[in-house]
Amino acid sequence: MGLKSKHNEAAALVAQMTNAEKAGLCSGKNFWHLKAVERLDVPAVMVTDGPHGLRKQDQEADHVGLNQSVPATCFPTACALASSWDVELLQEVGVALGEQCAAENVTVLLGPGMNIKRHPLCGRNFEYFSEDPYLNGKLAAALIKGVQSQGVGTSVKHFAVNNQEHGRMYMDAIVDERTLREIYLRGFEIAIREAQPWTVMCAYNRVNGVYCSEHDWLLNKVLRDEWGFEGLVVTDWGAANDRVEGVRTGLDLEMPSSGGINDTKVLAALEGGSLAAADLDQAITRNVALSLLGAEVADKEVSADQAAHHQLAVRAAAESMVLLQNHDDLLPLDPRGSLCVVGAFAKHPRYQGGGSSQVNPTRLDTAYTAIASIADAVLYAPGYDPEGDAHDQGLIDTAVASAQQCEVAVVFAGLPSLYESEGFDRPHMHMPEQHVALIEAVCAANPNTVVVLSNGAPIACDWQTHPMAILEAYLAGQGGGPAIAEVLFGLRNPSGKLAETFPLRQTDVAADNNFPGAHRQIQYREGLQIGYRHFDQAQLPVRFCFGHGLSYTTFAYQAIDGPQSPQAGEILNLDLTLQNSGTRIGAEVVQVYVHPCDSPVYRPQQELKAFCKVRLEPGEQRKVRLSLGADTWAYYDRGNAGWTSIAGTYDVRIGSSSRDIRLTHRVTLTSEAEASEMERHAHRSAQQGAIDDDAFAAMLGHAVPAPEASRPFHLNSSLQEVGSTWLGRKFKARVVAGFMQSMGDTSNDPTLKKMFEEMANHMPLRALALFSRGATTFTDLEIMIALMNRRYTEALRRWRAR
């Protein structure tokens, strides 16, 4: 059930509303609630943060995880869940999330996050699934179906091309349409077509010059007209730019409440004739439909089984862990041997990311406690400060002394919260120096060393050759501790596969030269060269490839069978036999990549087109059917203004990872379509790695937009930009102080401080009026802007006209 089911009832109610009531419903009541219209029995329903757990605040609301929320199961974050490659698991987690929302009378869970991992340094990568749009869309669709099966809505975010935290509220993403369609929109398209989320959350940033909150092409032509989206579009919190233009172009709901500032503008535009009544009615009908669905959530009698959900969180964490390295089969460990656990994360886990997705867990079991409950003899040494990055040789020396006494050492390392969070990007790919030095020292003291990683994105692993085994646990949620222990001792067989590439060097990443952008622009010159697509095309070695993950058992891929001459537009079914050829029960992720052998247009070397996770007993073999959809062979052709499948020879590659191909099935595709002349040349330079202005212009289909000047200042200038002036510095300091004051005088959390400071730096001036709910008016801002631009007469005129 979705908003469409309530459309007629909602439209009838909207027809009875006054213009003022309609304008008022363009924005929220407060931080988390929609407005009510009591005389028409339209309720004030609640939406709240996710996506890996319910974050319903029971104190004064905020958007960055500052104030405490009600206890809820903290599931693994998206970076971890994606590594399960398990759509059934994702749907099961979604059901649990929906139950928790229904029990707390929450109408919409704000998630999942679906932005592509363009660069490893994006500070919010832990909230996103993958570098691959197909995997991204399939996993998101499964999670959405699970949540919405409980009568609770979701909000896929952030639509669109929001791939960094630096300048996220105003930067302009300059990207060609083919790259947009195939990389950055494709996952959203899959999720919307397959799962119909109740809402879509528009991003803060601009795409090709237009803010997402008023982007007619994105919100109407693509999202609604092409993909058939039936729900409402809500802003990210504070993302409304021109609210009246947003109503015209498909933005339904502004969140949070801006204190009536934008509602007044909408009403004035409506009564002045510059906003069509039909456009406003259309938006308000969707908003009311959501409220009506929310009323049904309130009528449910649901109690969340927190104990069962915790066990699901443990299982989900274990299914998501990736065994990156296991020399001489050191893992699984023998619980009868002596063991040294090193690293403060073992007792003080880093299990989720910072910011708006931060969950107050119902319980938190540590890896050390779980290990100690299984192993006969365990020593422990902290090795580092879990919250900091200062070098402390004494902690390392103590850890080394403990490791020398045991048969095996397990080092817990990774990224402290200060290194990755919403609000700021990482400055580099390295772990703290203390973590790296600890790994190297312990490995030198005890060759039988295992490293367990807790991080939300790829890290530099120059120390890889030192440990015998490496287990990537990511940010594993409240059940991560026991899950790690069960995997280490073989009570569960690891079956996770990387949903992103670990590069050897940051400079190997195709987007690195254009990240995080400059002059208020992010130029996506790398085009389709994202993740494994780039590394395969450039034939670059990687640390760990996309789809990589080891097991305690082995799998044999046998005979593949299927048609060899499919027609464009039809489903291709392939059958293969998979056998567990080892001695332990295990699960394998079968991955299907398509390689075009003779394409007249540029195509990536190979692209993921299907996958499935298969669980087998030792010695068991099973026939596995892999279905390649009708759109498998298609690319987006601007000259044809649509998806095009052209005749040719394609290799269907089936394997255990993107670089471990076990079987190949060659097909000759029959098609009457032809590539346009435009696409025959547009991406060729990108394929060769030479993306100068002319090549980028060919990709865009027009000249590369000129860099934006930071002056003269305007309402979308950031606090960091205006901080170059005396008045701007004073104003910025006042805003930062206000943020810090909201944390309370006793707060010493360095991550929160850094997050607030960076958010203030990159906040556009207009957002201050909206977030302050009118305490700072647009007139105040315009006076200040005139002063900073040294237009003193204009400032005086505006001051007198207040």
Side-chain angles (χ1 to χ4, degrees), residues 308-630:
H309 290 171
H310 177 72
Q311 291 306 313
L312 174 59
V314 174
R315 177 159 58 88
E319 290 284 334
S320 302
M321 289 179 187
V322 185
L323 183 58
L324 297 176
Q325 181 170 293
N326 191 23
H327 295 320
D328 296 339
D329 293 330
L330 178 62
L331 295 178
L333 300 176
D334 185 344
R336 296 167 296 184
S338 59
L339 182 66
C340 179
V341 173
V342 176
F345 283 172
K347 286 191 173 183
H348 306 279
R350 172 105 198 285
Y351 62 97
Q352 64 175 329
S356 61
S357 67
Q358 203 159 322
V359 177
N360 179 21
T362 58
R363 60 186 283 189
L364 184 60
D365 299 334
T366 70
Y368 174 79
T369 301
I371 289 171
S373 70
I374 297 173
D376 290 346
V378 181
L379 297 180
Y380 170 75
Y384 53 81
D385 175 355
E387 297 297 332
D389 58 0
H391 183 72
D392 188 326
Q393 189 61 42
L395 289 176
I396 293 177
D397 292 342
T398 301
V400 166
S402 297
Q404 287 173 329
Q405 301 176 46
C406 298
E407 296 173 70
V408 177
V410 179
V411 179
F412 286 77
L415 298 177
S417 59
L418 186 63
Y419 274 56
E420 56 182 350
S421 169
E422 179 179 356
F424 56 86
D425 296 317
R426 294 158 60 197
H428 52 72
M429 288 182 60
H430 299 284
M431 293 191 297
E433 178 187 341
Q434 178 79 359
H435 289 231
V436 176
L438 179 67
I439 291 171
E440 292 175 342
V442 171
C443 289
N446 188 332
N448 292 326
T449 295
V450 181
V451 173
V452 178
L453 295 173
S454 296
N455 49 290
I459 56 175
C461 299
D462 298 334
W463 45 264
Q464 177 197 349
T465 57
H466 299 301
M468 295 288 284
I470 305 173
L471 179 66
E472 174 60 87
Y474 280 114
L475 303 182
Q478 70 180 55
I484 290 170
E486 291 172 1
V487 169
L488 288 176
F489 289 102
L491 302 179
R492 296 182 191 265
N493 193 344
S495 60
K497 302 278 189 174
L498 290 179
E500 58 193 341
T501 305
F502 276 46
L504 279 176
R505 295 168 293 272
Q506 178 184 322
T507 52
D508 289 342
V509 176
D512 195 56
N513 288 333
N514 296 290
F515 181 92
H519 307 296
R520 300 175 63 85
Q521 288 182 347
I522 319 153
Q523 296 187 356
Y524 284 61
R525 293 188 178 228
E526 72 279 359
L528 304 174
Q529 305 300 306
I530 296 300
Y532 70 90
R533 287 167 169 80
H534 162 64
F535 295 109
D536 290 348
Q537 175 65 47
Q539 298 182 340
L540 282 171
V542 298
R543 184 74 63 183
F544 300 109
C545 70
F546 179 81
H548 170 71
L550 305 176
S551 172
Y552 297 153
T553 190
T554 56
F555 297 93
Y557 287 65
Q558 301 169 6
I560 184 171
D561 182 52
Q564 294 182 317
S565 300
Q567 292 184 347
E570 71 177 18
I571 295 173
L572 174 66
N573 291 318
L574 297 176
D575 294 320
L576 67 90
T577 300
L578 183 71
Q579 182 182 29
N580 181 342
S581 51
T583 59
R584 290 176 176 266
I585 185 173
E588 171 72 326
V589 177
V590 180
Q591 303 163 43
V592 183
Y593 300 85
V594 170
H595 163 70
C597 299
D598 52 0
S599 176
V601 301
Y602 169 66
R603 306 291 294 272
Q605 277 291 308
Q606 60 179 10
E607 296 181 282
L608 182 73
K609 294 297 182 179
F611 65 90
C612 66
K613 194 164 191 173
V614 185
R615 289 173 174 79
L616 297 172
E617 297 285 341
E620 180 185 1
Q621 66 179 30
R622 187 182 308 167
K623 182 168 286 189
V624 178
R625 168 153 289 188
L626 300 159
S627 293
L628 299 180

Side-chain angles (χ1 to χ4, degrees), residues 750-772:
T751 303
L752 277 176
K753 289 182 177 181
K754 182 176 181 179
M755 178 170 60
F756 275 122
E757 187 169 337
E758 289 300 318
M759 283 183 168
N761 274 335
H762 299 294
M763 182 175 289
L765 295 177
R766 63 167 166 83
L768 299 175
L770 302 180
F771 278 126
S772 72

